[in-house]
């Protein structure tokens, strides 16, 4: 079946503009994660959605970052007033969740964001 | 603090040589450990997890709680093993969110 998809694949924006990144998880996956990978660094956790529970926003780096998820489907990550340090690859992952150990996370191809 | 350390940015070996990708972690509790791999132009994917105790593509990894390590090993490297490898941990069952904490990755280059 189809894997996790993300759009756009690349986004170039000017400093100060807002951007929206989209993630379509695997159908039936109740858990959805956003991660960020800056050049030369590992992936950093940003936010986690699980069903109707309150999202875990503990990884969001500032109040310029926000994310929403519609039910158990599409999620959008919004970055307001982008800064150059926001340049990174933004990865989305989904998992079935609810098992007896950490469920396998399936990653999308990522969105490469460049802030000029 | 929760942390995953991969000390080598690049590991270059010849085909047929043994491979060991190092991973050390810092975590209070009983984490679950994973290795993820990203081949060229492909998305990040799970290679193996410590609770499975299985060998995937000839790779194995043993969790050493005393040394807080989870090194990835393969006795004979193949050219198709060339990829970026990430070690990661989560809080495991009962952990808050199962979010993954990643190391910075090691690029494995297998020379012919």
């Amino acid at each position: 079946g189809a894997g996790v998809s993300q759009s756009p694949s690349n986004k170039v924006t000017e400093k100060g503009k807002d951007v929206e990144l989209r993630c379509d998880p695997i159908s039936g996956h109740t858990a959805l994660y956003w991660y960020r990978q800056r050049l030369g660094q590992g992936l950093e956790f940003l936010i986690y959605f699980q069903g109707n529970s309150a999202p875990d926003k503990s990884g969001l780096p500032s109040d310029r970052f926000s994310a929403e998820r519609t039910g158990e489907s599409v999620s959008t990550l919004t970055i307001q007033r982008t800064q150059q340090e926001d340049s990174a690859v933004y990865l989305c992952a989904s998992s079935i969740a609810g098992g007896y150990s950490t469920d396998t996370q399936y990653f999308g191809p990522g969105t490469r964001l460049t802030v000029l | 603090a929760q942390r995953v350390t991969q000390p080598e940015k690049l590991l270059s070996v010849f085909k047929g040589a043994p491979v060991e990708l190092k991973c050390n972690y810092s975590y209070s509790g009983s984490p679950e450990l994973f290795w993820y791999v990203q081949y060229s132009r492909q998305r990040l994917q799970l290679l193996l997890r410590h609770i499975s105790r299985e060998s995937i593509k000839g790779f194995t990894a043993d969790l050493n709680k005393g040394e807080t390590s989870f090194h990835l090993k393969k006795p004979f490297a193949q050219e198709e093993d060339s990829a970026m490898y990430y070690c990661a941990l989560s809080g495991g069952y009962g952990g808050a969110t199962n979010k993954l904490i990643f190391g910075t990755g090691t690029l494995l280059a297998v020379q012919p």
Side-chain angles (χ1 to χ4, degrees):
Chain A
V4 177
S5 61
Q6 292 185 246
S7 61
S9 55
N10 281 284
K11 176 72 176 178
V12 180
T13 190
E14 294 180 348
K15 178 181 171 181
K17 303 271 189 178
D18 298 351
V19 295
E20 263 192 13
L21 312 180
R22 177 187 169 107
C23 172
D24 282 273
I26 294 172
S27 177
H29 281 193
T30 59
L32 186 148
Y33 305 78
W34 283 97
Y35 295 89
R36 174 174 74 172
Q37 185 173 28
R38 289 188 281 191
L39 190 63
Q41 300 185 22
L43 282 76
E44 305 169 71
F45 166 77
L46 296 177
I47 188 169
Y48 162 76
F49 295 91
Q50 169 54 43
N52 294 320
S53 301
D56 176 356
K57 304 180 181 180
S58 61
L60 294 179
S62 77
D63 58 8
R64 295 186 296 105
F65 287 73
S66 62
E68 292 184 349
R69 186 179 186 192
T70 308
E72 294 184 351
S73 61
V74 171
S75 176
T76 55
L77 176 69
T78 302
I79 309 173
Q80 295 179 310
R81 305 181 302 281
T82 52
Q83 304 294 312
Q84 288 182 332
E85 62 262 28
D86 299 334
S87 296
V89 176
Y90 289 82
L91 289 165
C92 176
S94 70
S95 70
I96 291 176
Y100 288 97
S101 64
T102 305
D103 297 288
T104 298
Q105 294 183 26
Y106 295 86
F107 282 82
T111 293
R112 182 176 298 276
L113 175 66
T114 303
V115 182
L116 301 176
Chain B
Q2 303 169 9
R3 185 182 298 124
V4 175
T5 302
Q6 293 181 253
E8 303 141 327
K9 286 189 184 295
L10 170 67
L11 182 63
S12 183
V13 301
F14 287 103
K15 177 182 172 181
V19 171
E20 182 179 52
L21 300 171
K22 290 184 168 44
C23 172
N24 288 86
Y25 66 91
S26 172
Y27 188 84
S28 56
S30 297
E32 288 192 51
L33 274 294
F34 306 81
W35 278 98
Y36 276 79
V37 61
Q38 189 166 26
Y39 300 102
S40 180
R41 297 189 183 86
Q42 294 187 29
R43 58 186 68 189
L44 193 64
Q45 59 186 287
L46 178 66
L47 179 63
L48 55 79
R49 53 200 300 163
H50 90 269
I51 61 169
S52 299
R53 296 181 177 274
E54 57 190 345
S55 173
I56 304 292
K57 299 184 179 182
F59 284 97
T60 59
D62 292 319
L63 179 61
N64 185 322
K65 292 184 179 180
E67 296 183 358
T68 59
S69 68
F70 188 56
H71 304 326
L72 183 67
K73 301 177 183 179
K74 184 170 183 176
F76 307 104
Q78 303 299 314
E79 288 180 67
E80 56 265 30
D81 296 328
S82 296
M84 194 73 174
Y85 291 80
Y86 294 94
C87 183
L89 70 78
S90 79
Y93 180 65
T97 65
N98 293 339
K99 66 185 180 187
L100 292 171
I101 299 169
F102 284 87
T104 51
T106 298
L107 179 63
L108 175 63
V110 182
Q111 311 295 333

